[in-house]
Amino acid sequence: MAIGLGGGLLISVPLSRSLNPHDIETGGSILPISNPFSAWTGFGDREVVVLGMDAGGGNTDAIFTIRVENGETKITQIPRDSYIDSRSFGPMKVNALYARGGPEAVQLELSRLMGRPIQHHILVNLEGIRTMGDLVGGVMVDVPKRLYYQDRSQGLFIDLQPGPQLLKGRDLEGFLRWRHDGEGDFGRLKRQQMVLRSLFASLKRPENLVRLPALITAAGRNLKTDLGPMELGGLITAMGTTNLETERLKATPFDRDGISYLNTEWPSKKKGGAEASEASSWRYRVLF
């Protein structure tokens, strides 16, 4: 018991200092600080889908996959209005999959459409995005134009002026959610990419890497995942020590029964597999 208590006391000193950004900046740490997840930087070739929940808690507002390979973190954005012919639920938008079948249904369908296995999921709500942005000191973005929108039913008020600025809290949420222009979903994907790049750069800063336990603990209240704590910390550490590459699946709009969809070019089709365009296959069945 004495050995255990003594060891815990010795560990608590550097750990508490590692979670305090002021001590890091002023050099006040008594013992050397290291990232507790550094041994987990090799996340392997596993791929994770990240689902951002909308205000209603049903459909997913943002969908992208993350994989770390060959010294790069590759993020693939999936347009939320992509038309799919789900094997379990039939024709629908991809952002409705979670509401119908949960994260397992999302992983199953995306594995088929992406042409590679999606083994894990991370579900995060808007509060989690705001919390993470605040904990890393804000997210620097260049707002392209004035963004103004008000929706009293959702308690949403967006009023951002153009130009480079540090976004936190509800301003960051508003920047991610705003899409009331001619660009629609494509504009939202561009803004998501801007935030991802800035957040990624913030996580790579040494003071944030050593604070990963505190960041994960705080964000954990607003996210659900099938990754264990060490796996999640390993993934974030791997992301923070590699270069970032982002891509967005190409898509073109079309209408069906008065509803706007996106005909998305899925990677499985590019690989020469049997999967055809979801929207094109629907048209083929109707005509013949």
Side-chain angles (χ1 to χ4, degrees), residues 93-142:
K93 290 185 179 182
V94 70
N95 73 325
L97 264 176
Y98 175 79
R100 298 292 298 275
E104 294 78 13
V106 177
Q107 289 176 220
L108 181 63
E109 291 291 342
L110 288 187
S111 295
R112 174 178 68 87
L113 295 166
M114 300 292 284
R116 53 182 183 261
I118 310 296
Q119 297 100 327
H120 302 284
H121 66 269
I122 299 174
L123 182 69
V124 60
N125 60 29
L126 291 173
E127 181 66 30
I129 297 174
R130 293 198 298 264
T131 299
M132 183 64 74
D134 290 345
L135 286 174
V136 298
V139 177
M140 180 63 69
V141 298
D142 188 358

Side-chain angles (χ1 to χ4, degrees), residues 6 18 50 55 100 116-117 119 137 145 175 179 204 227 231 244 251 273 278 280:
S18 71
V50 179
R100 298 292 298 275
R116 53 182 183 261
Q119 297 100 327
K145 56 187 175 183
F175 182 76
R179 65 173 196 170
K204 294 180 73 170
L227 291 171
E231 290 177 306
L244 176 64
E278 295 289 296
S280 298

Side-chain angles (χ1 to χ4, degrees), residues 158-261:
I158 303 171
D159 188 6
L160 297 174
Q161 299 296 326
Q165 52 197 283
L166 191 68
L167 297 182
K168 297 181 180 180
R170 294 196 175 275
D171 285 339
L172 176 59
E173 175 190 339
F175 182 76
L176 287 168
R177 294 183 62 183
W178 194 88
R179 65 173 196 170
H180 301 276
D181 60 4
E183 294 185 284
D185 199 37
F186 295 111
R188 177 180 286 193
L189 288 173
K190 290 179 184 178
R191 288 185 289 276
Q192 288 175 2
Q193 190 172 105
M194 293 170 64
V195 170
L196 286 172
R197 286 187 176 277
S198 182
L199 184 59
F200 187 85
S202 297
L203 286 173
K204 294 180 73 170
R205 295 202 300 262
E207 65 268 25
N208 285 329
L209 280 176
V210 298
R211 293 174 60 228
L212 276 180
L215 293 173
I216 292 175
T217 299
R221 304 186 188 101
N222 298 288
L223 64 83
K224 297 179 181 179
T225 179
D226 60 346
L227 291 171
M230 291 301 293
E231 290 177 306
L232 183 59
L235 172 61
I236 297 177
T237 298
M239 292 172 60
T241 54
T242 57
N243 297 317
L244 176 64
E245 176 184 325
T246 62
E247 67 171 343
R248 185 188 71 196
L249 296 184
K250 294 181 179 179
T252 54
F254 76 97
D255 290 332
R256 175 188 174 187
D257 298 331
I259 301 175
S260 178
Y261 296 92

